Amino acid sequence: MNQVDQLRITVATSSDAATVANIYAPYVRDTAITFEYDAPDAREMAARIERVGATHPWLIARDAAGAALGYAYASPYYGRAAYAWCVETSIYVDREARGSGVGTALYQELERVLTAQGILNLYACVATTSTPDTHLDNGSVTFHERRGYHEIGHFPNCGYKFGHWYDTVWMERNLGAHALPQPSVRPFSQVRTELGL
């Protein structure tokens, strides 16, 4: 069996905060994939997990031995009621596990949960550059394209990090049809139980 066949994907809790923070920290410290300058500590990460997890899925992938390999989550897209069917997705895979299929497995499970909730529009804000460097190589754009996302907006020179200006692109993937009237989004707590998460 390969690593992906043995993955166990579960809902993250605040007890996973230190592990999640450790996966995320190198992206903050060494890359322009995220525009944060300072890596959040476990306490801050726990607060983020609890905030997102109250309404939307935050998933963590572990190997057969229980080691965390990555996480993905969907956060509310702004706070207005009319945006209830939209989320912003985020994913971070341990840098040693990149390219192994962990990211794809996480996004597949995330999309399964969001589909059950009735979420329709997935948005990803992805850092990009016209001049790839040691901090950003545009691999995130390629990853999202392979997952069915397409570019819907480009913001040039909007993030300054490591003495360089980087762009962002907004990418979108639709999970379902837009109806009239549109059924309400189902609570994550209800869907989580139904899906056995």
PDB file of all heavy atoms in Angstrom, residues 99-139:
ATOM      1  N   GLY A  99       3.325  16.209  -3.070  1.00  0.00           N
ATOM      2  CA  GLY A  99       3.448  15.405  -4.278  1.00  0.00           C
ATOM      3  C   GLY A  99       3.103  13.945  -4.085  1.00  0.00           C
ATOM      4  O   GLY A  99       3.202  13.153  -5.027  1.00  0.00           O
ATOM      5  N   SER A 100       2.635  13.588  -2.889  1.00  0.00           N
ATOM      6  CA  SER A 100       2.339  12.181  -2.591  1.00  0.00           C
ATOM      7  C   SER A 100       0.860  11.841  -2.723  1.00  0.00           C
ATOM      8  O   SER A 100       0.468  10.699  -2.517  1.00  0.00           O
ATOM      9  CB  SER A 100       2.801  11.837  -1.180  1.00  0.00           C
ATOM     10  OG  SER A 100       2.021  12.544  -0.220  1.00  0.00           O
ATOM     11  N   GLY A 101       0.024  12.846  -3.026  1.00  0.00           N
ATOM     12  CA  GLY A 101      -1.412  12.623  -3.131  1.00  0.00           C
ATOM     13  C   GLY A 101      -2.189  13.003  -1.889  1.00  0.00           C
ATOM     14  O   GLY A 101      -3.429  12.923  -1.874  1.00  0.00           O
ATOM     15  N   VAL A 102      -1.496  13.440  -0.852  1.00  0.00           N
ATOM     16  CA  VAL A 102      -2.168  13.829   0.390  1.00  0.00           C
ATOM     17  C   VAL A 102      -3.092  15.019   0.148  1.00  0.00           C
ATOM     18  O   VAL A 102      -4.240  15.041   0.610  1.00  0.00           O
ATOM     19  CB  VAL A 102      -1.148  14.151   1.500  1.00  0.00           C
ATOM     20  CG1 VAL A 102      -1.836  14.754   2.728  1.00  0.00           C
ATOM     21  CG2 VAL A 102      -0.372  12.904   1.881  1.00  0.00           C
ATOM     22  N   GLY A 103      -2.621  16.017  -0.584  1.00  0.00           N
ATOM     23  CA  GLY A 103      -3.437  17.196  -0.860  1.00  0.00           C
ATOM     24  C   GLY A 103      -4.696  16.851  -1.626  1.00  0.00           C
ATOM     25  O   GLY A 103      -5.787  17.345  -1.314  1.00  0.00           O
ATOM     26  N   THR A 104      -4.575  16.005  -2.623  1.00  0.00           N
ATOM     27  CA  THR A 104      -5.743  15.594  -3.400  1.00  0.00           C
ATOM     28  C   THR A 104      -6.744  14.859  -2.512  1.00  0.00           C
ATOM     29  O   THR A 104      -7.952  15.113  -2.578  1.00  0.00           O
ATOM     30  CB  THR A 104      -5.310  14.701  -4.577  1.00  0.00           C
ATOM     31  OG1 THR A 104      -4.501  15.481  -5.465  1.00  0.00           O
ATOM     32  CG2 THR A 104      -6.505  14.151  -5.332  1.00  0.00           C
ATOM     33  N   ALA A 105      -6.255  13.951  -1.670  1.00  0.00           N
ATOM     34  CA  ALA A 105      -7.144  13.209  -0.774  1.00  0.00           C
ATOM     35  C   ALA A 105      -7.862  14.148   0.200  1.00  0.00           C
ATOM     36  O   ALA A 105      -9.066  13.993   0.456  1.00  0.00           O
ATOM     37  CB  ALA A 105      -6.349  12.155  -0.003  1.00  0.00           C
ATOM     38  N   LEU A 106      -7.142  15.132   0.726  1.00  0.00           N
ATOM     39  CA  LEU A 106      -7.761  16.097   1.630  1.00  0.00           C
ATOM     40  C   LEU A 106      -8.841  16.912   0.928  1.00  0.00           C
ATOM     41  O   LEU A 106      -9.938  17.090   1.464  1.00  0.00           O
ATOM     42  CB  LEU A 106      -6.694  17.043   2.197  1.00  0.00           C
ATOM     43  CG  LEU A 106      -5.949  16.560   3.427  1.00  0.00           C
ATOM     44  CD1 LEU A 106      -4.703  17.403   3.659  1.00  0.00           C
ATOM     45  CD2 LEU A 106      -6.853  16.594   4.662  1.00  0.00           C
ATOM     46  N   TYR A 107      -8.536  17.389  -0.270  1.00  0.00           N
ATOM     47  CA  TYR A 107      -9.537  18.193  -0.981  1.00  0.00           C
ATOM     48  C   TYR A 107     -10.735  17.349  -1.395  1.00  0.00           C
ATOM     49  O   TYR A 107     -11.871  17.826  -1.367  1.00  0.00           O
ATOM     50  CB  TYR A 107      -8.892  18.865  -2.193  1.00  0.00           C
ATOM     51  CG  TYR A 107      -8.636  20.353  -2.009  1.00  0.00           C
ATOM     52  CD1 TYR A 107      -8.662  20.958  -0.765  1.00  0.00           C
ATOM     53  CD2 TYR A 107      -8.347  21.160  -3.107  1.00  0.00           C
ATOM     54  CE1 TYR A 107      -8.420  22.311  -0.601  1.00  0.00           C
ATOM     55  CE2 TYR A 107      -8.103  22.523  -2.962  1.00  0.00           C
ATOM     56  CZ  TYR A 107      -8.143  23.088  -1.708  1.00  0.00           C
ATOM     57  OH  TYR A 107      -7.914  24.438  -1.556  1.00  0.00           O
ATOM     58  N   GLN A 108     -10.530  16.101  -1.758  1.00  0.00           N
ATOM     59  CA  GLN A 108     -11.662  15.237  -2.102  1.00  0.00           C
ATOM     60  C   GLN A 108     -12.597  15.071  -0.916  1.00  0.00           C
ATOM     61  O   GLN A 108     -13.822  15.146  -1.055  1.00  0.00           O
ATOM     62  CB  GLN A 108     -11.163  13.870  -2.578  1.00  0.00           C
ATOM     63  CG  GLN A 108     -10.583  13.892  -3.972  1.00  0.00           C
ATOM     64  CD  GLN A 108      -9.948  12.567  -4.373  1.00  0.00           C
ATOM     65  OE1 GLN A 108      -9.605  11.734  -3.522  1.00  0.00           O
ATOM     66  NE2 GLN A 108      -9.776  12.369  -5.664  1.00  0.00           N
ATOM     67  N   GLU A 109     -12.027  14.846   0.259  1.00  0.00           N
ATOM     68  CA  GLU A 109     -12.852  14.688   1.458  1.00  0.00           C
ATOM     69  C   GLU A 109     -13.515  16.004   1.839  1.00  0.00           C
ATOM     70  O   GLU A 109     -14.689  16.034   2.228  1.00  0.00           O
ATOM     71  CB  GLU A 109     -12.016  14.152   2.620  1.00  0.00           C
ATOM     72  CG  GLU A 109     -12.791  13.888   3.890  1.00  0.00           C
ATOM     73  CD  GLU A 109     -13.817  12.763   3.776  1.00  0.00           C
ATOM     74  OE1 GLU A 109     -13.942  12.135   2.700  1.00  0.00           O
ATOM     75  OE2 GLU A 109     -14.516  12.525   4.780  1.00  0.00           O
ATOM     76  N   LEU A 110     -12.791  17.102   1.719  1.00  0.00           N
ATOM     77  CA  LEU A 110     -13.369  18.411   2.006  1.00  0.00           C
ATOM     78  C   LEU A 110     -14.558  18.669   1.091  1.00  0.00           C
ATOM     79  O   LEU A 110     -15.618  19.124   1.538  1.00  0.00           O
ATOM     80  CB  LEU A 110     -12.305  19.500   1.835  1.00  0.00           C
ATOM     81  CG  LEU A 110     -12.693  20.918   2.246  1.00  0.00           C
ATOM     82  CD1 LEU A 110     -12.877  21.008   3.762  1.00  0.00           C
ATOM     83  CD2 LEU A 110     -11.638  21.916   1.781  1.00  0.00           C
ATOM     84  N   GLU A 111     -14.401  18.379  -0.185  1.00  0.00           N
ATOM     85  CA  GLU A 111     -15.486  18.599  -1.142  1.00  0.00           C
ATOM     86  C   GLU A 111     -16.672  17.683  -0.867  1.00  0.00           C
ATOM     87  O   GLU A 111     -17.826  18.081  -1.052  1.00  0.00           O
ATOM     88  CB  GLU A 111     -14.962  18.410  -2.564  1.00  0.00           C
ATOM     89  CG  GLU A 111     -14.017  19.518  -2.985  1.00  0.00           C
ATOM     90  CD  GLU A 111     -13.213  19.192  -4.236  1.00  0.00           C
ATOM     91  OE1 GLU A 111     -13.500  18.159  -4.897  1.00  0.00           O
ATOM     92  OE2 GLU A 111     -12.276  19.960  -4.551  1.00  0.00           O
ATOM     93  N   ARG A 112     -16.420  16.475  -0.402  1.00  0.00           N
ATOM     94  CA  ARG A 112     -17.512  15.562  -0.054  1.00  0.00           C
ATOM     95  C   ARG A 112     -18.358  16.150   1.082  1.00  0.00           C
ATOM     96  O   ARG A 112     -19.595  16.141   1.026  1.00  0.00           O
ATOM     97  CB  ARG A 112     -16.940  14.206   0.369  1.00  0.00           C
ATOM     98  CG  ARG A 112     -17.990  13.154   0.702  1.00  0.00           C
ATOM     99  CD  ARG A 112     -17.346  11.814   1.018  1.00  0.00           C
ATOM    100  NE  ARG A 112     -16.832  11.744   2.367  1.00  0.00           N
ATOM    101  CZ  ARG A 112     -17.461  11.139   3.391  1.00  0.00           C
ATOM    102  NH1 ARG A 112     -18.627  10.562   3.195  1.00  0.00           N
ATOM    103  NH2 ARG A 112     -16.898  11.109   4.581  1.00  0.00           N
ATOM    104  N   VAL A 113     -17.691  16.698   2.091  1.00  0.00           N
ATOM    105  CA  VAL A 113     -18.397  17.286   3.219  1.00  0.00           C
ATOM    106  C   VAL A 113     -19.154  18.536   2.783  1.00  0.00           C
ATOM    107  O   VAL A 113     -20.337  18.719   3.118  1.00  0.00           O
ATOM    108  CB  VAL A 113     -17.424  17.619   4.364  1.00  0.00           C
ATOM    109  CG1 VAL A 113     -18.155  18.298   5.513  1.00  0.00           C
ATOM    110  CG2 VAL A 113     -16.715  16.367   4.850  1.00  0.00           C
ATOM    111  N   LEU A 114     -18.496  19.386   2.018  1.00  0.00           N
ATOM    112  CA  LEU A 114     -19.138  20.630   1.586  1.00  0.00           C
ATOM    113  C   LEU A 114     -20.328  20.364   0.679  1.00  0.00           C
ATOM    114  O   LEU A 114     -21.353  21.059   0.756  1.00  0.00           O
ATOM    115  CB  LEU A 114     -18.107  21.524   0.889  1.00  0.00           C
ATOM    116  CG  LEU A 114     -16.979  22.038   1.781  1.00  0.00           C
ATOM    117  CD1 LEU A 114     -15.918  22.736   0.942  1.00  0.00           C
ATOM    118  CD2 LEU A 114     -17.507  22.971   2.866  1.00  0.00           C
ATOM    119  N   THR A 115     -20.222  19.362  -0.164  1.00  0.00           N
ATOM    120  CA  THR A 115     -21.350  18.992  -1.019  1.00  0.00           C
ATOM    121  C   THR A 115     -22.534  18.561  -0.168  1.00  0.00           C
ATOM    122  O   THR A 115     -23.687  18.940  -0.434  1.00  0.00           O
ATOM    123  CB  THR A 115     -20.940  17.863  -1.994  1.00  0.00           C
ATOM    124  OG1 THR A 115     -19.896  18.339  -2.840  1.00  0.00           O
ATOM    125  CG2 THR A 115     -22.119  17.419  -2.852  1.00  0.00           C
ATOM    126  N   ALA A 116     -22.276  17.785   0.868  1.00  0.00           N
ATOM    127  CA  ALA A 116     -23.343  17.345   1.765  1.00  0.00           C
ATOM    128  C   ALA A 116     -23.983  18.526   2.491  1.00  0.00           C
ATOM    129  O   ALA A 116     -25.184  18.502   2.794  1.00  0.00           O
ATOM    130  CB  ALA A 116     -22.805  16.330   2.772  1.00  0.00           C
ATOM    131  N   GLN A 117     -23.192  19.555   2.753  1.00  0.00           N
ATOM    132  CA  GLN A 117     -23.742  20.754   3.394  1.00  0.00           C
ATOM    133  C   GLN A 117     -24.593  21.580   2.441  1.00  0.00           C
ATOM    134  O   GLN A 117     -25.408  22.380   2.886  1.00  0.00           O
ATOM    135  CB  GLN A 117     -22.609  21.647   3.918  1.00  0.00           C
ATOM    136  CG  GLN A 117     -21.993  21.189   5.216  1.00  0.00           C
ATOM    137  CD  GLN A 117     -21.063  22.248   5.783  1.00  0.00           C
ATOM    138  OE1 GLN A 117     -19.857  22.192   5.578  1.00  0.00           O
ATOM    139  NE2 GLN A 117     -21.620  23.218   6.498  1.00  0.00           N
ATOM    140  N   GLY A 118     -24.380  21.406   1.139  1.00  0.00           N
ATOM    141  CA  GLY A 118     -25.085  22.228   0.167  1.00  0.00           C
ATOM    142  C   GLY A 118     -24.298  23.441  -0.275  1.00  0.00           C
ATOM    143  O   GLY A 118     -24.845  24.363  -0.891  1.00  0.00           O
ATOM    144  N   ILE A 119     -22.993  23.459   0.011  1.00  0.00           N
ATOM    145  CA  ILE A 119     -22.120  24.536  -0.462  1.00  0.00           C
ATOM    146  C   ILE A 119     -21.968  24.401  -1.980  1.00  0.00           C
ATOM    147  O   ILE A 119     -21.808  23.301  -2.501  1.00  0.00           O
ATOM    148  CB  ILE A 119     -20.740  24.466   0.223  1.00  0.00           C
ATOM    149  CG1 ILE A 119     -20.878  24.617   1.743  1.00  0.00           C
ATOM    150  CG2 ILE A 119     -19.777  25.495  -0.368  1.00  0.00           C
ATOM    151  CD1 ILE A 119     -21.390  25.956   2.211  1.00  0.00           C
ATOM    152  N   LEU A 120     -21.988  25.528  -2.678  1.00  0.00           N
ATOM    153  CA  LEU A 120     -21.916  25.514  -4.140  1.00  0.00           C
ATOM    154  C   LEU A 120     -20.612  26.074  -4.690  1.00  0.00           C
ATOM    155  O   LEU A 120     -20.061  25.528  -5.647  1.00  0.00           O
ATOM    156  CB  LEU A 120     -23.081  26.318  -4.733  1.00  0.00           C
ATOM    157  CG  LEU A 120     -24.485  25.823  -4.401  1.00  0.00           C
ATOM    158  CD1 LEU A 120     -25.520  26.777  -4.991  1.00  0.00           C
ATOM    159  CD2 LEU A 120     -24.696  24.413  -4.914  1.00  0.00           C
ATOM    160  N   ASN A 121     -20.132  27.171  -4.141  1.00  0.00           N
ATOM    161  CA  ASN A 121     -18.985  27.875  -4.715  1.00  0.00           C
ATOM    162  C   ASN A 121     -17.774  27.747  -3.802  1.00  0.00           C
ATOM    163  O   ASN A 121     -17.818  28.181  -2.650  1.00  0.00           O
ATOM    164  CB  ASN A 121     -19.283  29.367  -4.887  1.00  0.00           C
ATOM    165  CG  ASN A 121     -20.455  29.633  -5.799  1.00  0.00           C
ATOM    166  OD1 ASN A 121     -21.032  28.728  -6.385  1.00  0.00           O
ATOM    167  ND2 ASN A 121     -20.828  30.893  -5.920  1.00  0.00           N
ATOM    168  N   LEU A 122     -16.694  27.181  -4.340  1.00  0.00           N
ATOM    169  CA  LEU A 122     -15.433  27.123  -3.620  1.00  0.00           C
ATOM    170  C   LEU A 122     -14.500  28.173  -4.209  1.00  0.00           C
ATOM    171  O   LEU A 122     -14.317  28.217  -5.433  1.00  0.00           O
ATOM    172  CB  LEU A 122     -14.776  25.748  -3.769  1.00  0.00           C
ATOM    173  CG  LEU A 122     -15.616  24.519  -3.453  1.00  0.00           C
ATOM    174  CD1 LEU A 122     -14.758  23.259  -3.561  1.00  0.00           C
ATOM    175  CD2 LEU A 122     -16.254  24.621  -2.085  1.00  0.00           C
ATOM    176  N   TYR A 123     -13.902  28.984  -3.346  1.00  0.00           N
ATOM    177  CA  TYR A 123     -12.949  29.992  -3.785  1.00  0.00           C
ATOM    178  C   TYR A 123     -11.606  29.734  -3.104  1.00  0.00           C
ATOM    179  O   TYR A 123     -11.550  29.382  -1.928  1.00  0.00           O
ATOM    180  CB  TYR A 123     -13.426  31.402  -3.424  1.00  0.00           C
ATOM    181  CG  TYR A 123     -14.738  31.780  -4.059  1.00  0.00           C
ATOM    182  CD1 TYR A 123     -15.857  32.051  -3.279  1.00  0.00           C
ATOM    183  CD2 TYR A 123     -14.867  31.857  -5.446  1.00  0.00           C
ATOM    184  CE1 TYR A 123     -17.066  32.398  -3.856  1.00  0.00           C
ATOM    185  CE2 TYR A 123     -16.066  32.196  -6.028  1.00  0.00           C
ATOM    186  CZ  TYR A 123     -17.168  32.465  -5.227  1.00  0.00           C
ATOM    187  OH  TYR A 123     -18.362  32.789  -5.818  1.00  0.00           O
ATOM    188  N   ALA A 124     -10.538  29.916  -3.854  1.00  0.00           N
ATOM    189  CA  ALA A 124      -9.191  29.809  -3.297  1.00  0.00           C
ATOM    190  C   ALA A 124      -8.409  31.042  -3.699  1.00  0.00           C
ATOM    191  O   ALA A 124      -8.374  31.395  -4.882  1.00  0.00           O
ATOM    192  CB  ALA A 124      -8.495  28.549  -3.810  1.00  0.00           C
ATOM    193  N   CYS A 125      -7.815  31.707  -2.722  1.00  0.00           N
ATOM    194  CA  CYS A 125      -6.959  32.856  -2.983  1.00  0.00           C
ATOM    195  C   CYS A 125      -5.521  32.337  -2.999  1.00  0.00           C
ATOM    196  O   CYS A 125      -5.014  31.886  -1.970  1.00  0.00           O
ATOM    197  CB  CYS A 125      -7.144  33.909  -1.897  1.00  0.00           C
ATOM    198  SG  CYS A 125      -6.182  35.408  -2.175  1.00  0.00           S
ATOM    199  N   VAL A 126      -4.885  32.386  -4.175  1.00  0.00           N
ATOM    200  CA  VAL A 126      -3.605  31.718  -4.379  1.00  0.00           C
ATOM    201  C   VAL A 126      -2.532  32.729  -4.764  1.00  0.00           C
ATOM    202  O   VAL A 126      -2.712  33.514  -5.700  1.00  0.00           O
ATOM    203  CB  VAL A 126      -3.736  30.646  -5.487  1.00  0.00           C
ATOM    204  CG1 VAL A 126      -2.420  29.916  -5.687  1.00  0.00           C
ATOM    205  CG2 VAL A 126      -4.851  29.659  -5.148  1.00  0.00           C
ATOM    206  N   ALA A 127      -1.423  32.715  -4.030  1.00  0.00           N
ATOM    207  CA  ALA A 127      -0.299  33.586  -4.375  1.00  0.00           C
ATOM    208  C   ALA A 127       0.350  33.103  -5.668  1.00  0.00           C
ATOM    209  O   ALA A 127       0.473  31.901  -5.911  1.00  0.00           O
ATOM    210  CB  ALA A 127       0.716  33.602  -3.245  1.00  0.00           C
ATOM    211  N   THR A 128       0.764  34.043  -6.483  1.00  0.00           N
ATOM    212  CA  THR A 128       1.392  33.703  -7.759  1.00  0.00           C
ATOM    213  C   THR A 128       2.406  34.787  -8.117  1.00  0.00           C
ATOM    214  O   THR A 128       2.423  35.866  -7.524  1.00  0.00           O
ATOM    215  CB  THR A 128       0.329  33.555  -8.868  1.00  0.00           C
ATOM    216  OG1 THR A 128       0.948  33.104 -10.071  1.00  0.00           O
ATOM    217  CG2 THR A 128      -0.386  34.854  -9.133  1.00  0.00           C
ATOM    218  N   THR A 129       3.248  34.472  -9.085  1.00  0.00           N
ATOM    219  CA  THR A 129       4.266  35.427  -9.509  1.00  0.00           C
ATOM    220  C   THR A 129       4.622  35.200 -10.968  1.00  0.00           C
ATOM    221  O   THR A 129       4.590  34.067 -11.449  1.00  0.00           O
ATOM    222  CB  THR A 129       5.532  35.294  -8.639  1.00  0.00           C
ATOM    223  OG1 THR A 129       6.528  36.199  -9.110  1.00  0.00           O
ATOM    224  CG2 THR A 129       6.091  33.889  -8.659  1.00  0.00           C
ATOM    225  N   SER A 130       4.944  36.274 -11.656  1.00  0.00           N
ATOM    226  CA  SER A 130       5.398  36.147 -13.046  1.00  0.00           C
ATOM    227  C   SER A 130       6.877  35.799 -13.108  1.00  0.00           C
ATOM    228  O   SER A 130       7.387  35.411 -14.160  1.00  0.00           O
ATOM    229  CB  SER A 130       5.137  37.457 -13.803  1.00  0.00           C
ATOM    230  OG  SER A 130       5.797  38.533 -13.161  1.00  0.00           O
ATOM    231  N   THR A 131       7.561  35.941 -11.983  1.00  0.00           N
ATOM    232  CA  THR A 131       8.981  35.605 -11.914  1.00  0.00           C
ATOM    233  C   THR A 131       9.214  34.651 -10.746  1.00  0.00           C
ATOM    234  O   THR A 131       9.560  35.081  -9.642  1.00  0.00           O
ATOM    235  CB  THR A 131       9.845  36.874 -11.739  1.00  0.00           C
ATOM    236  OG1 THR A 131       9.381  37.587 -10.574  1.00  0.00           O
ATOM    237  CG2 THR A 131       9.736  37.785 -12.956  1.00  0.00           C
ATOM    238  N   PRO A 132       9.001  33.350 -10.942  1.00  0.00           N
ATOM    239  CA  PRO A 132       9.177  32.386  -9.857  1.00  0.00           C
ATOM    240  C   PRO A 132      10.548  32.502  -9.199  1.00  0.00           C
ATOM    241  O   PRO A 132      11.543  32.789  -9.866  1.00  0.00           O
ATOM    242  CB  PRO A 132       9.018  31.037 -10.565  1.00  0.00           C
ATOM    243  CG  PRO A 132       8.163  31.338 -11.752  1.00  0.00           C
ATOM    244  CD  PRO A 132       8.586  32.711 -12.196  1.00  0.00           C
ATOM    245  N   ASP A 133      10.574  32.311  -7.884  1.00  0.00           N
ATOM    246  CA  ASP A 133      11.821  32.402  -7.133  1.00  0.00           C
ATOM    247  C   ASP A 133      11.843  31.319  -6.068  1.00  0.00           C
ATOM    248  O   ASP A 133      11.009  30.411  -6.078  1.00  0.00           O
ATOM    249  CB  ASP A 133      11.991  33.807  -6.541  1.00  0.00           C
ATOM    250  CG  ASP A 133      10.856  34.201  -5.603  1.00  0.00           C
ATOM    251  OD1 ASP A 133      10.260  33.304  -4.966  1.00  0.00           O
ATOM    252  OD2 ASP A 133      10.566  35.405  -5.489  1.00  0.00           O
ATOM    253  N   THR A 134      12.782  31.405  -5.157  1.00  0.00           N
ATOM    254  CA  THR A 134      12.913  30.359  -4.141  1.00  0.00           C
ATOM    255  C   THR A 134      11.756  30.353  -3.151  1.00  0.00           C
ATOM    256  O   THR A 134      11.594  29.381  -2.408  1.00  0.00           O
ATOM    257  CB  THR A 134      14.233  30.525  -3.358  1.00  0.00           C
ATOM    258  OG1 THR A 134      14.261  31.824  -2.755  1.00  0.00           O
ATOM    259  CG2 THR A 134      15.430  30.355  -4.278  1.00  0.00           C
ATOM    260  N   HIS A 135      10.951  31.422  -3.133  1.00  0.00           N
ATOM    261  CA  HIS A 135       9.845  31.517  -2.187  1.00  0.00           C
ATOM    262  C   HIS A 135       8.492  31.175  -2.789  1.00  0.00           C
ATOM    263  O   HIS A 135       7.526  30.951  -2.058  1.00  0.00           O
ATOM    264  CB  HIS A 135       9.794  32.924  -1.590  1.00  0.00           C
ATOM    265  CG  HIS A 135      11.054  33.327  -0.898  1.00  0.00           C
ATOM    266  ND1 HIS A 135      11.509  32.721   0.249  1.00  0.00           N
ATOM    267  CD2 HIS A 135      11.979  34.269  -1.214  1.00  0.00           C
ATOM    268  CE1 HIS A 135      12.644  33.271   0.627  1.00  0.00           C
ATOM    269  NE2 HIS A 135      12.953  34.206  -0.247  1.00  0.00           N
ATOM    270  N   LEU A 136       8.393  31.145  -4.110  1.00  0.00           N
ATOM    271  CA  LEU A 136       7.105  30.888  -4.759  1.00  0.00           C
ATOM    272  C   LEU A 136       7.332  30.368  -6.171  1.00  0.00           C
ATOM    273  O   LEU A 136       8.045  31.000  -6.960  1.00  0.00           O
ATOM    274  CB  LEU A 136       6.252  32.164  -4.803  1.00  0.00           C
ATOM    275  CG  LEU A 136       4.800  31.971  -5.209  1.00  0.00           C
ATOM    276  CD1 LEU A 136       4.039  31.129  -4.185  1.00  0.00           C
ATOM    277  CD2 LEU A 136       4.108  33.314  -5.389  1.00  0.00           C
ATOM    278  N   ASP A 137       6.713  29.222  -6.474  1.00  0.00           N
ATOM    279  CA  ASP A 137       6.924  28.616  -7.796  1.00  0.00           C
ATOM    280  C   ASP A 137       5.635  28.399  -8.589  1.00  0.00           C
ATOM    281  O   ASP A 137       5.645  27.751  -9.631  1.00  0.00           O
ATOM    282  CB  ASP A 137       7.654  27.282  -7.655  1.00  0.00           C
ATOM    283  CG  ASP A 137       6.844  26.246  -6.874  1.00  0.00           C
ATOM    284  OD1 ASP A 137       5.662  26.502  -6.523  1.00  0.00           O
ATOM    285  OD2 ASP A 137       7.403  25.163  -6.607  1.00  0.00           O
ATOM    286  N   ASN A 138       4.504  28.897  -8.113  1.00  0.00           N
ATOM    287  CA  ASN A 138       3.201  28.783  -8.773  1.00  0.00           C
ATOM    288  C   ASN A 138       2.640  27.364  -8.756  1.00  0.00           C
ATOM    289  O   ASN A 138       1.677  27.063  -9.465  1.00  0.00           O
ATOM    290  CB  ASN A 138       3.243  29.328 -10.205  1.00  0.00           C
ATOM    291  CG  ASN A 138       3.503  30.826 -10.240  1.00  0.00           C
ATOM    292  OD1 ASN A 138       3.136  31.545  -9.312  1.00  0.00           O
ATOM    293  ND2 ASN A 138       4.148  31.298 -11.280  1.00  0.00           N
ATOM    294  N   GLY A 139       3.215  26.483  -7.952  1.00  0.00           N
ATOM    295  CA  GLY A 139       2.701  25.127  -7.857  1.00  0.00           C
ATOM    296  C   GLY A 139       1.283  25.059  -7.312  1.00  0.00           C
ATOM    297  O   GLY A 139       0.522  24.152  -7.666  1.00  0.00           O
TER     298      GLY A 139
END
